[in-house]
Amino acid sequence: MKIGFIGLGNMGGPMAANLAAAGHAVVGFDMADVAVPGVALAESAAAAATGAEAVITMLPNGAILRAVADQIVPAMTAGAVFVDCSTVDLDSARAVAQQAVAAGLLAVDAPVSGGVGGASAGSLTFMAGGSDQGFAKAAELFDIMGQKAVHCGASGAGQAAKICNNMILGVTMIATCEAFALADKLGLDRQKMFDVVSTSSGYSWSMNAYCPAPGVGPQSPADNGYAPGFAAELMLKDLRLSQQAAESADADTPMGALARELYAQFVETEDGAGKDFSAMLPRFENRGRG
Ligand code: NAD
């Protein structure tokens, strides 16, 4: 398949490289000076999209996605599929899909879970929104870049699934970290705490697969000085998107709102910037109630 790929950063670069390695003809574009194995570079986003059967975008936010869509939608061939894998606000995801469909294209919003490691290994999870026809056309590409793709519903459903998942993740990570810090102060050994919770009703992905305590549980960013991993800034971005969606849908999400406040404080006024989102544990460890 001839594929255009716009946004060849930490995630997009390895995703595009995997498509090229699987034998697809990939033409990429990024504003920055990048080189991706097997991917030919175009002069503009429109040039990368011209003549492609599928165009994938992997961009920082909804405003940039809308700007890029304005350039590539007119350049794409009717019947081609526009697959946006960025994590963006629901309004932008739906607006771009509407624009694409109005131009005779298929449109799929397909944000991912799995991070840079999953992008390189081709083991991402895709959560997709759009028509059956659009999903069917993109599925072959999801198979190469990922290990699982779930068709969640109409346009925007992929973004909805992503922000709900990450709202749970932000809340459970904070709960896990504050519980470890409390356990410390109660004199409980961290390994014992892990042994109990990871096999009891407090278990979660944050505890069992990504334990925020160094030297406890499976290997995680905590064992590497809290270098990301999944950066606290990216968690904050996703928590803001979920609160924005909750406000427009009139959903009551008090835990999500508090998680957003705590990550904002951590990243903007404490020392969380540049750290993994599990570095909430040393944050709580060093605090009292005051
Ligand atoms: P990144 O900043 O490394 O990559 C974004 C790329 O887009 C950059 O190379 C940038 O130069 C390029 N870009 C920006 N504006 C552009 C434009 N107008 N035209 C062409 N290229 C442009 O970010 P990333 O980590 O690759 O994340 C991309 C998306 O994936 C984000 O929406 C992020 O929330 C989401 N995501 C990231 C992770 C992760 O762990 N990094 C995990 C899941 C989802």
Side-chain angles (χ1 to χ4, degrees), residues 39-62:
V39 175
L41 293 178
E43 291 286 306
S44 66
T50 303
E53 289 157 74
V55 175
I56 301 176
T57 47
M58 194 49 167
L59 296 162
N61 59 49

Side-chain angles (χ1 to χ4, degrees), residues 2-275:
K2 187 164 183 287
I3 300 168
F5 206 118
I6 324 288
L8 300 165
N10 292 324
M11 296 291 291
M15 290 164 72
N18 284 336
L19 292 172
H24 291 292
V26 187
V27 179
F29 175 73
D30 196 292
M31 297 237 298
D33 194 11
V34 295
V36 179
V39 175
L41 293 178
E43 291 286 306
S44 66
T50 303
E53 289 157 74
V55 175
I56 301 176
T57 47
M58 194 49 167
L59 296 162
N61 59 49
I64 294 175
L65 171 66
R66 287 178 192 245
V68 167
D70 286 342
Q71 296 162 38
I72 63 175
V73 167
M76 286 175 67
T77 314
V81 63
F82 178 171
V83 184
D84 176 46
C85 293
S86 328
T87 303
V88 301
D89 59 285
L90 273 167
D91 289 346
S92 295
R94 289 182 179 139
V96 162
Q98 220 166 32
Q99 180 183 5
V101 169
L105 305 172
L106 300 167
V108 181
D109 56 290
V112 303
S113 168
V116 178
S120 299
S123 61
L124 295 168
T125 295
F126 289 85
M127 19 214 138
S131 64
D132 289 342
Q133 213 188 341
F135 181 76
K137 192 153 184 175
E140 176 191 345
L141 307 179
F142 296 151
D143 279 350
I144 295 165
M145 298 183 286
Q147 60 177 355
K148 188 166 177 67
V150 180
H151 188 189
C152 300
S155 289
Q159 297 294 346
K162 166 86 187 177
I163 59 178
C164 289
N165 180 73
N166 281 23
M167 186 171 83
I168 296 171
L169 177 61
V171 168
T172 56
M173 180 54 81
I174 290 171
T176 303
C177 291
E178 70 179 29
F180 261 120
L182 170 62
D184 288 347
K185 292 193 178 182
L186 299 178
L188 189 59
D189 177 70
R190 285 185 171 181
Q191 183 63 50
K192 300 293 180 203
M193 166 84 173
F194 176 83
D195 291 347
V196 171
V197 177
S198 66
T199 54
S200 298
S201 46
Y203 84 87
S204 67
W205 185 87
S206 297
M207 174 61 85
N208 292 39
Y210 204 91
C211 183
V216 177
Q219 191 74 17
S220 72
D223 300 308
N224 188 27
Y226 295 101
F230 185 49
E233 293 94 314
L234 284 176
M235 175 48 80
L236 176 57
K237 171 191 171 178
D238 293 356
L239 288 167
R240 284 187 165 140
L241 291 176
S242 62
Q243 285 310 296
Q244 194 182 328
E247 277 156 29
S248 58
D250 190 28
D252 187 20
T253 53
M255 302 294 281
L258 186 54
R260 177 191 58 183
E261 290 322 309
L262 286 169
Y263 273 104
Q265 205 176 314
F266 187 47
V267 167
E268 289 166 0
T269 64
E270 299 170 359
D271 61 350
K275 291 191 178 155

